[in-house]
Amino acid sequence: MRLLSAFAALIALFGAVTPAQAEAMPQCGQVLTTNFTLMGDWDCGNGPALIVGANGVKINLNGHTLSGTPAISMTGVDGTTIRNGTIPSNIVADNATNTRFVDMAIGQPSPNATYLWNGTTSVTFVRSKLDMWRFNCGARCHLLRSKFSMNQIGAKTLVIQGDQGQPNLVNFVGAVEADVVNTKLNAFSIGGSERLTIRDSELDGFEVIATGRLELLRNTFSGGNWVGVHRPVNGVIRGNRFEKMRSAGLFVDPKETLTGPLVIERNTFAENVGDGLRIDVPVPLDITVRKNTSENNGQFGMWATAGTVTDGGKNVSNNDALGCYTIVCA
């Protein structure tokens, strides 16, 4: 009894410490200049929730949902990290450099879910899920081992690297420089106006929207109409497998002079409904075709307009319906 009385006296003197006192809920529109942990779901409706007001702020959503208009605002700050939670509403990022989202779920499947991040904004998503209609991530965007579904994504520099075991879905990928690395991706078109690199990945057929350096390296392209290269590029298409397309496996038909040599080598074109490789250009271009294998294609294994490409030799056709045309195949 004496112990209980003494404990009650201590509480009366100093007060009880509760979780809410350890990390109180913020006010809507609160400016954060130090690290912050959210202690419960929080919705600010049509008003802003959190405003980042200093460099290096770390926000831990602690498994909770944060909503507001916007949920988080970052302008002219560097090194913000947001982790471990859900943000279904908008986020403002203007010249917000070296921003990181870790283990986050962001956005919602709605045509109104548009995120336009501006200026020098650079952002990395790690093990996160993005669900939105349109996303412009600013100067640099890196999606690392993340899952996403969207109509359009764009940035000056864009890197899509890794996945969560299932194909990511996006209609239009656009950038000045784009890298798709070691990931599963279903896309309608992928563009890099100065450079597009896709390597060690699995994709459906898609359209290449590029006019600079193109590198397709060690990928598997399966399904869809074709992988289409329709614009003047330069670079290398090497070590890929183009299979089971509804038309050609790889369809190359730029109508203008290339921006440099294009080498197509050591690829396999297999079981496509049409040709395995089809190069349909009106004038001779600096395209070299060598050391490729075609097999079990519904029409030609490899086809090129007469006199338009360089046959580098050692191309092989196995059981293609019509063999090869103008490209010599063993």
Side-chain angles (χ1 to χ4, degrees):
M1 181 65 74
R2 289 180 179 177
L3 287 174
L4 290 175
S5 298
F7 186 60
L10 287 172
I11 291 176
L13 181 62
F14 296 107
V17 178
T18 66
Q21 287 174 305
E23 188 75 63
M25 293 294 285
Q27 300 294 317
C28 290
Q30 181 168 329
V31 178
L32 298 180
T33 57
T34 59
N35 298 343
F36 172 78
T37 298
L38 187 65
M39 299 308 295
D41 292 348
W42 188 40
D43 188 350
C44 288
N46 292 325
L50 296 176
I51 299 170
V52 179
N55 295 336
V57 170
K58 295 177 173 58
I59 301 171
N60 183 359
L61 297 187
N62 200 24
H64 299 297
T65 297
L66 175 66
S67 300
T69 310
I72 296 178
S73 178
M74 299 172 286
T75 299
V77 292
D78 178 79
T80 305
T81 299
I82 302 104
R83 65 171 62 246
N84 189 27
T86 299
I87 299 178
S89 52
N90 194 25
I91 300 169
V92 169
D94 190 358
N95 296 315
T97 53
N98 298 308
T99 306
R100 287 172 62 85
F101 292 86
V102 182
D103 298 318
M104 290 290 300
I106 300 172
Q108 55 185 309
S110 166
N112 296 321
T114 297
Y115 294 71
L116 303 178
W117 295 357
N118 302 310
T120 59
T121 295
S122 57
V123 59
T124 299
F125 297 89
V126 182
R127 298 186 304 273
S128 294
K129 179 182 178 183
L130 289 76
D131 199 344
M132 54 194 68
W133 181 251
R134 183 184 177 197
F135 186 25
N136 184 341
C137 5
R140 189 179 190 279
C141 189
H142 188 173
L143 282 71
L144 177 61
R145 299 191 304 279
S146 293
K147 179 176 177 57
F148 57 89
S149 176
M150 61 186 75
N151 179 60
Q152 180 179 342
I153 184 170
K156 183 177 180 180
T157 301
L158 175 65
V159 180
I160 300 172
Q161 183 176 3
D163 53 61
Q164 295 184 357
Q166 296 179 336
N168 287 309
L169 306 175
V170 60
N171 283 332
F172 305 99
V173 178
V176 177
E177 295 183 342
D179 292 84
V180 178
V181 182
N182 192 28
T183 191
K184 299 180 178 69
L185 181 66
N186 292 346
F188 179 76
S189 69
I190 303 177
S193 59
E194 293 183 3
R195 181 183 56 79
L196 171 60
T197 299
I198 304 175
R199 59 181 175 87
D200 303 308
S201 296
E202 299 178 19
L203 294 88
D204 278 357
F206 65 98
E207 306 292 345
V208 174
I209 309 299
T211 54
R213 176 76 179 176
L214 174 65
E215 298 175 342
L216 304 181
L217 305 172
R218 303 179 301 277
N219 305 287
T220 296
F221 303 104
S222 181
N225 286 326
W226 55 47
V227 174
V229 180
H230 309 300
R231 300 188 183 187
V233 295
N234 68 85
V236 60
I237 301 174
R238 177 190 299 127
N240 305 282
R241 183 175 180 86
F242 301 84
E243 65 176 16
K244 300 177 182 178
M245 304 288 187
R246 291 189 291 269
S247 186
L250 174 62
F251 182 31
V252 181
D253 70 334
K255 300 300 188 288
E256 305 172 54
T257 301
L258 301 185
T259 53
L262 176 63
V263 177
I264 302 173
E265 64 180 4
R266 301 184 185 276
N267 302 285
T268 298
F269 308 99
E271 300 181 57
N272 299 288
V273 174
D275 304 328
L277 167 65
R278 185 175 185 88
I279 303 174
D280 190 357
V281 294
V283 296
L285 296 179
D286 193 357
I287 300 174
T288 299
V289 180
R290 64 191 181 200
K291 299 180 182 179
N292 299 283
T293 299
S294 61
E295 55 192 25
N296 301 313
N297 293 286
Q299 297 184 29
F300 291 96
M302 289 173 252
W303 186 101
T305 307
T308 58
V309 303
T310 299
D311 186 341
K314 297 186 179 180
N315 296 293
V316 177
S317 169
N318 294 319
N319 200 35
D320 296 307
L322 301 175
C324 295
Y325 178 75
T326 77
I327 297 172
V328 177
C329 293

